[in-house]
Amino acid sequence: MIPLYLDPAHARVALIGRGALAVRRLAWLLDAGAAPDVYSDGPSFDLARAAGATLRTELPGLAELARYHAIWIADLPRDEAEALAAHAASVNVLVNVEDVKALCDFHTPAVVRRGKIT
């Protein structure tokens, strides 16, 4: 793996998911300064509340996926995650499927933040 950080001012990112893992990943992205678009065809109450106006109540199609540099997928059954990851790969988008290493182009490291220090 090649470690790198994406500058949220220059990288368009999205989160696709439904439940608690997606809520945690959304919080992680927001804490990092990202403004991800959030897609969910069945968001939990907590995800809908956390995503607010950024929530799109559907899963993204190929045209939507092509707009991003990187996407995170959480809380989807493996077959759905695998299909989305394949579509994203077909348009050269980096993918992280939560807890499924075989479907990940990159890994999300643990991060400690103390004020402005990361």
Side-chain angles (χ1 to χ4, degrees):
M1 288 288 171
I2 301 169
L4 63 103
Y5 284 86
L6 297 174
D7 183 345
H10 301 287
R12 186 163 180 165
V13 299
L15 171 67
I16 305 165
R18 294 189 181 121
L21 286 175
V23 173
R24 283 194 356 233
R25 186 56 61 208
L26 178 57
W28 185 88
L29 288 164
L30 294 171
D31 286 347
D37 293 328
V38 179
Y39 292 87
S40 182
D41 61 347
S44 67
F45 173 81
D46 290 337
L47 180 58
R49 185 172 39 121
T54 66
L55 179 63
R56 297 169 187 206
T57 55
E58 61 189 2
L59 296 180
L62 201 54
E64 289 87 12
L65 289 170
R67 296 190 315 223
Y68 300 102
H69 295 102
I71 62 168
W72 282 260
I73 300 172
D75 290 324
L76 293 184
R78 181 166 177 139
D79 61 326
E80 290 181 59
E82 195 166 355
L84 282 165
H87 288 316
S90 76
V91 290
N92 298 315
V93 176
L94 295 173
V95 179
N96 178 283
V97 177
E98 197 85 28
D99 297 328
V100 186
K101 185 176 180 181
L103 298 180
C104 294
D105 296 317
F106 65 95
H107 298 286
T108 304
V111 175
V112 176
R113 289 190 177 88
R114 295 207 186 348
K116 293 187 179 192
I117 298 173
T118 300

